[in-house]
Structure formats: structure tokens, C-alpha cells
Amino acid sequence: MNNIWIEDTPIGQLGIYSDDFHLHMIQFIDTSYNNITASSNPSKIANCVSEQMHEYFNGTRRTFNLSLYLDLPPFYKKVLSEVSKIKYGQTASYMDIAIKSGDKKAVRAVGAANANNPIPIIIPCHRIIFSNGKIGGYGGGLEKKVFLLNQEGIDITL
């Protein structure tokens, strides 16, 4: 990974970490504490991420088409692969994903995989909620999760 690009979005700044071929990570940036040294020019992948993010926030994009690099344990990859299948405007529970990942008892492990998702929004962990319909947590903060769900037409509040 040799490129860090900062992108302004409606939910704040995002750090886009990439190399010449893959997106490695998207980080929510706290503007009150920003020690990231951004590249002066975005990589080709960062340009694609930027363009697709703008389309997503403008409501013209529902799926992302990017080359991702996930350096994660196999179960986490399996979970995030299932999370990636949740369509725009839909949600799934941690239990749903545990079952689809092959172990209905692995609900907490699904939560851990989501908490360690290095590519939020693109891998839409914001679409994961509790079985009882409660919102659950989100690495970027619950306000961002609510915004993203509302962006997709899911009427949910804190």
C-alpha cells in the first residue's frame, strides 16, 4: 500500500488506502485529530473509489466495482463476502450472516468480523443489524450508520 488519499463525503473525510491495483482500506477520519499524510495525487484505484463514492452519495450508484485486497483471517473473509451480497436498501442480521457463513453459533464472530471490516461502505457492514431490528454498532459511529441506512432508503433512527 503506497497511496493515501483523503476524500470529503457527506459523512466526513475518508482516508482511502490503496496501491496501484487494489483498495486496501477506508478509514473514517476524525478531523479534530488528523495525523495522516496524504498523497498529493490519488492512485488510479483511489480515483475510482472517489468517483464511485460520489455516485453512491448522489444516489446514482448502488453497487461498487473495485478491486479489493483483504488481509484477514479466512472466517472474516467469508463473513465479509456474505456481507458484500446484501443489496442496497436491505439489511441482514448478525445471525443471518452467521448462518450464511456456515455456523449459526458464530454470531459474535460475525460481529468481530464486521468490527474489523477494513473497507466500510464498499463492504456494507452498515447494513448489519440485530435480529430484533435494533441498529447495533458501527466503527464510524452510529450517526454515520444511520445516515448510510437512510441514504439507502431504510428509515431508521437512533
Side-chain angles (χ1 to χ4, degrees):
M1 181 171 37
N2 59 9
N3 190 277
I4 303 170
W5 183 250
I6 307 298
E7 187 66 36
D8 290 318
T9 74
I11 59 171
Q13 290 187 319
L14 300 176
I16 300 168
Y17 295 72
S18 64
D19 59 26
D20 291 335
F21 307 103
H22 303 94
L23 172 62
H24 288 252
M25 184 170 68
I26 292 178
Q27 178 184 26
F28 295 105
I29 297 174
D30 179 354
T31 55
S32 65
Y33 177 74
N34 184 355
N35 64 350
I36 296 173
T37 304
S39 302
S40 56
N41 294 310
S43 69
K44 184 176 180 181
I45 294 294
N47 268 330
C48 289
V49 172
S50 271
E51 181 180 309
Q52 291 185 30
M53 281 286 185
H54 282 287
E55 292 168 353
Y56 171 79
F57 285 113
N58 288 333
T60 59
R61 175 171 291 277
R62 292 179 172 228
T63 60
F64 293 93
N65 182 22
L66 298 161
S67 180
L68 309 180
Y69 178 84
L70 295 174
D71 186 20
L72 297 168
F75 184 75
Y76 282 20
K77 284 183 183 179
K78 191 175 199 179
V79 166
L80 295 180
S81 173
E82 292 300 329
V83 170
S84 293
K85 296 174 186 174
I86 304 167
K87 295 184 188 298
Y88 182 99
Q90 297 180 356
T91 60
S93 71
Y94 293 94
M95 176 64 81
D96 294 335
I97 300 301
I99 291 167
K100 289 179 180 179
S101 297
D103 187 352
K104 69 179 182 177
K105 295 179 182 179
V107 174
R108 287 183 187 261
V110 166
N114 275 290
N116 288 288
N117 176 7
I119 308 176
I121 305 169
I122 308 295
I123 299 175
C125 56
H126 61 277
R127 297 177 188 156
I128 304 298
I129 61 173
F130 290 127
S131 296
N132 65 6
K134 300 238 184 221
I135 191 169
Y138 192 62
L142 291 180
E143 302 82 19
K144 287 180 176 70
K145 184 171 185 169
V146 168
F147 182 95
L148 293 168
L149 291 171
N150 290 334
Q151 164 81 22
E152 297 182 12
I154 300 168
D155 187 23
I156 198 160
T157 57
L158 284 176

